[in-house]
Amino acid sequence: MMQDSPPLIALQGITRVYGQGEAEVRALDGVDLTIRTGEFVAIMGPSGSGKSTALNVIGCLDPPTSGRYLFNGVDVAGLDRDQRALLRRHYLGFVFQGFNLLPRATALENVELPLIYKGLSRAERHDRAMRALDQVGLSGRSHHDPSELSGGQQQRVAIARALAGAPDLILADEPTGNLDTHRSVEIMELLGQLRAKGGLTIVMVTHEDDMAAYADRIIWMVDGRIARDTPTARGKSHAG
Amino acid sequence: MLVETIRLALRAIARNVMRSILTVLGVVIGVAAVIAMVTVGQGSSEQVTRDVAKLGTNVLMIRPGQNTMGPRSSVTSERPFDLGDVAQIIRDLPQVETASAAESRQMVAVFGNINHRTTVQGVGNAYLVATDWPVILGRSFLAGEEQAGRAVCILGQTVRETFFGAANPVGEKIRLKTMSCEVIGVLDSKGASSFGTDQDDTVMIPVRTFQRRIAGSTAVNMIYVAVREDVPTDLARSAIETLLRDMRRIDPGEEDDFNVIDMKQLATMLTGITDVLTGLLAAVAAVSLLVGGIGIMNIMLVSVTERTHEIGIRLAVGAQARQVLAQFLVEAIVLSLMGGILGIVLGLSLAAAAARFMAIPYTPDPLVVIGAFAFSAMVGVVFGYLPARRAARLNPIDALRHQ
Ligand SMILES: Nc1ncnc2c1ncn2[C@@H]1O[C@H](COP(=O)(O)OP(=O)(O)O)[C@@H](O)[C@H]1O
Ligand SMILES: [Mg+2]
């Protein structure tokens, strides 16, 4: 029945070239990828293989050099900057590799940030942000600045920020890179719960096989290309 | 959304305390400096203008010698006048209202155990008329006192205060050199001259008294002439020159060995000088404005990396460029407004204090206040806004890379 509606993400022959001439780097070199609503996809591959670039293109933060990108059947190339911003605002949640938190804002303010642009009232923003912080086990740190938090805690604030807006698609770049196994498992379980409630699609870059095992599908990237695209045990059981 | 934008901006200001303070400071310095300096400059101009107006009647000053201004080489080589000349000017020239010799010397006056160095002037009542300087307590010289050269004196306000405080000095005796001198009156306060000297620090005695008891000579080195109100000063001036050339037997073709100074002309020239001064102050103020502006600019440019990263984050979570820009614009406006208001208050206070201290009128010019404010605010807004605009035009991922 899913076959009828368009896939959430469809990349067709996507390339992303940085620099020119001698310095030219083909970060993405002809990527074809289809991700359906509700899927949990892990992207793995060696450093520099284009994983982050792929996430940024999917997240409309970085325009592809060539190729077609359809989001929910809509050609993203046809959207202007403001429309892409709206797409991010209403559908996407990011967890960046480098967290990208506002340095001089509290954890709570950071988590509230996407909600401001969603136009939520102050009270609702506060409630939702506090709930998201609670989900990542940081409600006790809501009034701390990022500089007062450990790397793992900052990562969890970044995750809370992505969750708070209740997005349709979470793009997470090594979200458990700074967390211990216990925390990592907690976060994965949390994502699993949110997904179970309905609709949430997750694309996650990771180096850890244990975390990738939570996904339905693992995409292996090498030199800007997709080398392998295989379902996990979990994915097979879902499909079956 | 506007309320939200203002809230965002205020939060950003509160978060970046140092940046905010420095920006405000830049605006404060620029605005305060311009307002203070230009107001002081205009106050001094106004002071001179009032001094000129105070001259009232047209007054001419006659001095021996050719040199109009500046130091004179020697008095003896320039034939001085005498009291006969003064009398003849009054008698022969219908253009002249009245005239008076005015000799002066710095010396110590003594009352009780108080010694006070002051300017002793030998004058006639006509001098008080010419300079529009009334006696407010006691009386001026009697004709007999002037004729006989009696030891009587009229005190300027400063001397009166030094010797007698608020008490009435009329009838008391002060000593000038060896001469004991009865106080018969007190002059109205005249304030500082355009040159900044205290005109009230003076003791006036009849000119004959001065000649006999102090100078020991009948020479007159200065004559004040009050020209009749309905007579143009230039006309009176040439009449005086003709008369004096005749009296002093100067051959045609020979130059005058005296000079006539028009007080109004002198004052007009002084106005010119203060105008230059005002211009200079304005230039200094403009530099301060520029310095303040460059300060603001630097802070904004230094924080550009941080701002760009912040803008990247906001764009990534779904802000549209114009929303981010509105926030930064409001932030810049709020900071400029705060700085501007502080600057205006500070500038006007400084100007008021300076005006009191320099005894000049305090005449703030709304145009200057608005102009200085507008410039600084513009710098604040432009340099707060432009880097933000550039950042907001980047791909979000490129903005995020600034760290
Ligand atoms: N802005 C950029 N300018 C130039 N090269 C870049 C830029 N971003 C990424 N690259 C290059 O593109 C390649 C892929 O980068 P990235 O997607 O970050 O890899 P990964 O996330 O898999 O480690 C790398 O060789 C990287 O150096
Ligand atoms: Mg990466």
Side-chain angles (χ1 to χ4, degrees):
Chain A
M1 59 174 198
M2 277 294 191
Q3 314 303 83
D4 299 339
S5 57
L8 184 64
I9 294 164
L11 303 180
Q12 298 164 1
I14 291 288
T15 64
R16 181 64 174 102
V17 182
Y18 293 114
Q20 284 178 340
E22 291 282 283
E24 185 181 287
V25 178
R26 300 181 79 82
L28 295 179
D29 190 7
V31 170
D32 296 308
L33 176 63
T34 304
I35 298 173
R36 281 178 287 109
T37 301
E39 269 193 298
F40 184 170
V41 177
I43 302 180
M44 301 188 80
S47 176
S49 56
K51 306 182 295 293
S52 295
T53 307
L55 274 198
N56 293 336
V57 168
I58 292 171
C60 298
L61 295 174
D62 200 5
T65 307
S66 64
R68 242 159 83 89
Y69 171 22
L70 303 178
F71 184 89
N72 244 336
V74 176
D75 191 344
V76 170
L79 303 180
D80 64 20
R81 290 173 58 83
D82 282 346
Q83 289 169 323
R84 290 199 297 273
L86 291 178
L87 189 154
R88 289 193 294 272
R89 179 187 301 175
H90 293 295
Y91 296 102
L92 305 190
F94 286 96
V95 183
F96 295 100
Q97 208 169 357
F99 316 145
N100 282 331
L101 300 175
L102 292 179
R104 274 190 268 277
T106 63
L108 181 65
E109 286 171 336
N110 267 292
V111 177
E112 278 186 339
L113 195 63
L115 308 181
I116 291 175
Y117 296 108
K118 282 196 171 220
L120 299 190
S121 73
R122 242 136 74 91
E124 200 173 346
R125 248 154 45 197
H126 184 267
D127 283 357
R128 279 229 230 165
M130 279 311 288
R131 216 176 316 136
L133 280 172
D134 198 33
Q135 285 177 325
V136 299
L138 274 182
S139 47
R141 292 279 189 279
S142 62
H143 289 288
H144 290 240
D145 281 1
S147 60
E148 298 165 338
L149 299 174
S150 71
Q153 287 171 328
Q154 291 183 41
Q155 187 143 40
R156 279 144 68 197
V157 173
I159 293 168
R161 181 176 65 189
L163 298 179
D168 292 339
L169 171 63
I170 286 186
L171 299 167
D173 203 345
E174 303 190 27
T176 56
N178 287 279
L179 304 183
D180 58 33
T181 315
H182 173 68
R183 282 285 178 206
S184 301
V185 168
E186 261 184 28
I187 296 294
M188 286 304 128
E189 301 278 321
L190 175 61
L191 290 179
Q193 284 167 27
L194 292 173
R195 207 155 69 94
K197 275 191 203 157
L200 179 64
T201 308
I202 302 168
V203 181
M204 175 180 78
V205 172
T206 184
H207 283 301
E208 299 161 89
D209 293 329
D210 295 351
M211 298 305 125
Y214 282 89
D216 303 320
R217 191 176 150 196
I218 298 177
I219 288 165
W220 278 89
M221 291 195 66
V222 176
D223 289 341
R225 295 204 188 95
I226 293 178
R228 263 186 293 147
D229 184 347
T230 50
T232 61
R234 198 180 285 255
K236 280 175 194 153
S237 71
H238 268 265
Chain B
M1 198 60 218
L2 180 68
V3 177
E4 197 52 62
T5 305
I6 292 172
R7 205 179 279 146
L8 277 176
L10 291 181
R11 215 182 288 173
I13 290 170
R15 250 183 239 139
N16 301 287
V17 182
M18 207 57 203
R19 186 171 86 196
S20 304
I21 288 177
L22 289 174
T23 307
V24 168
L25 208 64
V27 178
V28 168
I29 290 172
V31 171
V34 168
I35 291 176
M37 299 212 194
V38 175
T39 305
V40 166
Q42 287 179 340
S44 351
S45 280
E46 175 67 22
Q47 174 67 40
V48 173
T49 311
R50 286 185 196 178
D51 285 351
V52 173
K54 244 193 290 184
L55 288 174
T57 43
N58 301 327
V59 176
L60 296 174
M61 258 163 58
I62 312 169
R63 298 194 305 184
Q66 291 171 349
N67 207 355
T68 355
M69 303 277 167
R72 283 174 298 166
S73 43
S74 93
V75 182
T76 43
S77 69
E78 297 155 349
R79 276 185 296 158
F81 304 103
D82 59 33
L83 289 176
D85 296 332
V86 179
Q88 193 166 354
I89 288 171
I90 298 172
R91 181 161 24 86
D92 289 2
L93 296 177
Q95 298 91 337
V96 169
E97 177 85 39
T98 182
S100 167
E103 298 300 291
S104 77
R105 184 167 296 185
Q106 291 287 320
M107 57 195 300
V108 175
V110 182
F111 175 73
N113 53 7
I114 310 170
N115 284 20
H116 176 69
R117 201 175 162 75
T118 187
T119 307
V120 175
Q121 302 189 72
V123 297
N125 281 337
Y127 174 80
L128 300 181
V129 174
T131 53
D132 193 19
W133 200 349
V135 171
I136 55 163
L137 195 64
R139 56 171 177 83
S140 53
F141 303 123
L142 300 175
E145 289 168 339
E146 289 198 55
Q147 279 303 314
R150 301 280 296 277
V152 291
C153 62
I154 306 174
L155 305 184
Q157 281 292 347
T158 304
V159 176
R160 178 250 182 113
E161 270 158 38
T162 307
F163 285 159
F164 302 100
N168 185 350
V170 173
E172 300 283 349
K173 295 217 161 176
I174 66 167
R175 201 153 48 75
L176 303 171
K177 262 185 172 176
T178 56
M179 176 177 70
S180 179
C181 192
E182 185 192 340
V183 177
I184 59 166
V186 176
L187 290 163
D188 195 6
S189 174
K190 204 156 177 116
S193 74
S194 305
F195 303 99
T197 54
D198 178 8
Q199 299 179 90
D200 297 320
D201 191 358
T202 188
V203 174
M204 293 197 183
I205 59 178
V207 64
R208 270 184 216 280
T209 319
F210 186 95
Q211 288 179 332
R212 276 183 213 153
R213 312 283 297 268
I214 291 170
S217 113
T218 58
V220 167
N221 291 295
M222 173 82 80
I223 302 172
Y224 269 73
V225 176
V227 178
R228 269 179 45 185
E229 231 170 287
D230 52 348
V231 176
T233 317
D234 278 351
L235 227 75
R237 182 191 188 126
S238 50
I240 289 169
E241 280 167 353
T242 311
L243 176 67
L244 283 177
R245 283 180 73 89
D246 183 42
M247 285 162 62
R248 291 160 85 83
R249 301 189 206 305
I250 299 168
D251 292 331
E254 242 181 292
E255 280 195 40
D256 294 348
D257 67 350
F258 60 90
N259 63 79
V260 181
I261 301 163
D262 183 342
M263 289 300 276
K264 272 237 158 99
Q265 244 172 30
L266 194 69
T268 311
M269 199 190 69
L270 273 176
T271 316
I273 292 173
T274 51
D275 280 351
V276 171
L277 188 81
T278 307
L280 267 173
L281 283 176
V284 172
V287 170
S288 324
L289 206 58
L290 211 66
V291 167
I294 290 171
I296 297 167
M297 201 173 82
N298 272 329
I299 296 144
M300 295 303 183
L301 293 182
V302 161
S303 61
V304 125
T305 307
E306 198 184 333
R307 296 180 152 227
T308 304
H309 186 234
E310 176 183 340
I311 288 171
I313 293 172
R314 292 181 183 276
L315 293 176
V317 301
Q320 290 175 330
R322 74 176 99 93
Q323 292 177 308
V324 175
L325 288 182
Q327 175 204 327
F328 276 72
L329 191 62
V330 171
E331 180 187 331
I333 290 172
V334 168
L335 288 179
S336 300
L337 273 177
M338 275 167 51
I341 290 166
L342 276 175
I344 288 173
V345 171
L346 185 67
L348 290 179
S349 313
L350 279 176
R356 262 186 83 116
F357 182 71
M358 294 165 67
I360 57 172
Y362 171 59
T363 52
D365 184 347
L367 223 73
V368 171
V369 171
I370 292 167
F373 176 77
F375 180 84
S376 294
M378 199 190 69
V379 172
V381 169
V382 166
F383 286 99
Y385 182 72
L386 283 189
R389 198 179 65 161
R390 235 183 42 198
R393 284 180 175 171
L394 294 172
N395 279 328
I397 198 67
D398 292 325
L400 279 172
R401 251 179 223 122
H402 284 74
Q403 221 159 3

